[in-house]
Amino acid sequence: MSHTRVWFVTGASRGLGRAFTEAALANGDRVIAAARNVEPLDRLAEAHPGRLVPLALDVTDRRAVFTGVEQAVAAFGRLDIVVNNAGAMLYGMVEEATEEQIRAHLDVNFFGAVWVAQAVVPHLRAQGGGRILQVTSMGSGVGMATVGFYGAGKAALDSVSEALAMEVAGFGIEVTILQMGGYNTGLFTTGMTTTEPMSEYRDLRSEMEQMWGDDVSPEPSTVVPTLLELVALPDPPRRLIVGSESFGHVLAMEQSRIDDYLKWEHLSRLAPG
């Protein structure tokens, strides 16, 4: 990659996307900052003339994504680091969610990231390489009550990203899955859609809300040192847990799953194949 890198960041107007955008600019790089509403980026663009291009983009619109990526490449001539960060939260029990809510949620969290990947790969391949960072979740490996569809979208993105990484490795394109911990991104406020609560789940909902707690999550800017070190690595990891506490939680969840597999090994081995 050239010394001055070009970033393409989705969901760049707030949260992690905003933190990634500001970090890239502070590092001397150039950024195409994509978001549905780019107005919050106005002052940042004024402070970095010629180095930040706000791009109004709805990632659920596949045609608009391909057009937007073409505009991004035209702006700076290339793309070096693509951050698939745009996302939202659907909060509620599986039974409560409407078809419209489920489809709208996955359109953003899964299909939107797929459209961006499909649009950028030809450009990265043509220029001989690049990086794609797929923002998923530390909880994508396990389903949790009230956030089942969020986990489902992130798990699907995890799986597709593993496949994508294998497919594009021969073109010099590196894919890293960022399993993010909990940060103060606005995901549970401005980025959240809530189902209509059913009385049958009242006790469980209360239990889950107590489990989530009221602790203040770290600011997205605290991720910046990890991000900048990651994109500087010549041989980046395929998957990275982001967050000290999250690292411990993920390892515990993985070990619990292994323990459960071993507990029922005798039953598994009764079947051939």
Side-chain angles (χ1 to χ4, degrees):
M1 285 189 284
S2 62
H3 178 67
T4 302
R5 298 168 298 193
V6 176
W7 297 57
F8 181 86
V9 182
T10 66
S13 62
R14 63 176 175 86
L16 289 168
R18 176 75 179 226
F20 293 172
T21 297
E22 292 178 352
L25 292 169
N27 200 51
D29 293 336
R30 295 172 290 174
V31 184
I32 294 93
R36 285 190 179 187
N37 176 21
V38 295
E39 188 176 337
L41 295 165
D42 286 349
R43 286 191 177 183
L44 196 60
E46 291 172 4
H48 300 276
R51 292 202 298 122
L52 174 63
V53 176
L55 176 67
L57 179 65
D58 179 354
V59 296
T60 68
D61 184 337
R62 188 174 185 270
R63 180 176 296 179
V65 168
F66 275 75
T67 299
V69 167
E70 292 292 338
Q71 293 172 338
V73 173
F76 293 132
R78 62 181 293 115
L79 300 175
D80 295 300
I81 302 169
V82 176
V83 185
N84 249 325
N85 166 75
M89 171 62 71
L90 175 55
Y91 187 82
M93 307 299 175
V94 171
E95 184 183 359
E96 296 170 347
T98 66
E99 178 180 356
E100 182 182 13
Q101 288 175 328
I102 297 167
R103 290 186 182 279
H105 179 75
L106 294 178
D107 269 346
V108 176
N109 283 29
F110 176 65
F111 288 108
V114 172
W115 305 153
V116 171
Q118 288 183 331
V120 301
V121 163
H123 296 284
L124 301 184
R125 179 172 59 236
Q127 69 192 26
R131 303 280 175 94
I132 300 176
L133 306 184
Q134 305 280 62
V135 177
T136 68
S137 169
M138 54 83 70
S140 60
V142 60
M144 297 286 287
T146 68
V147 292
F149 290 107
Y150 180 79
K154 294 301 188 182
L157 183 55
D158 267 11
S159 183
V160 165
S161 298
E162 291 274 11
L164 177 67
M166 292 178 63
E167 294 164 359
V168 301
F171 308 133
I173 303 171
E174 303 278 3
V175 177
T176 297
I177 299 164
L178 297 181
Q179 292 183 267
M180 305 300 302
Y183 293 91
N184 184 21
T185 63
L187 188 66
F188 279 90
T189 52
T190 57
M192 187 166 77
T193 299
T194 305
T195 61
E196 185 67 32
M198 293 173 59
S199 60
E200 290 86 348
Y201 294 107
R202 183 184 297 112
D203 292 343
L204 178 57
R205 186 182 300 272
S206 177
E207 180 183 333
M208 295 305 296
E209 288 173 352
Q210 289 178 19
M211 188 191 77
W212 299 132
D214 296 322
D215 293 341
V216 178
S217 300
E219 291 300 313
S221 58
T222 59
V223 177
V224 166
T226 299
L227 176 75
L228 293 180
E229 183 167 341
L230 170 68
V231 297
L233 293 173
D235 186 21
R238 178 74 55 86
R239 185 182 291 273
L240 183 72
I241 302 165
V242 181
S244 180
E245 289 188 24
S246 300
F247 186 88
H249 289 321
V250 171
L251 261 58
M253 289 188 292
E254 293 287 346
Q255 187 60 55
S256 177
R257 177 171 291 179
I258 291 172
D259 292 344
D260 211 39
Y261 282 148
L262 293 175
K263 177 181 178 180
W264 298 101
E265 180 181 4
H266 67 284
L267 189 57
S268 297
R269 292 189 183 277
L270 285 178

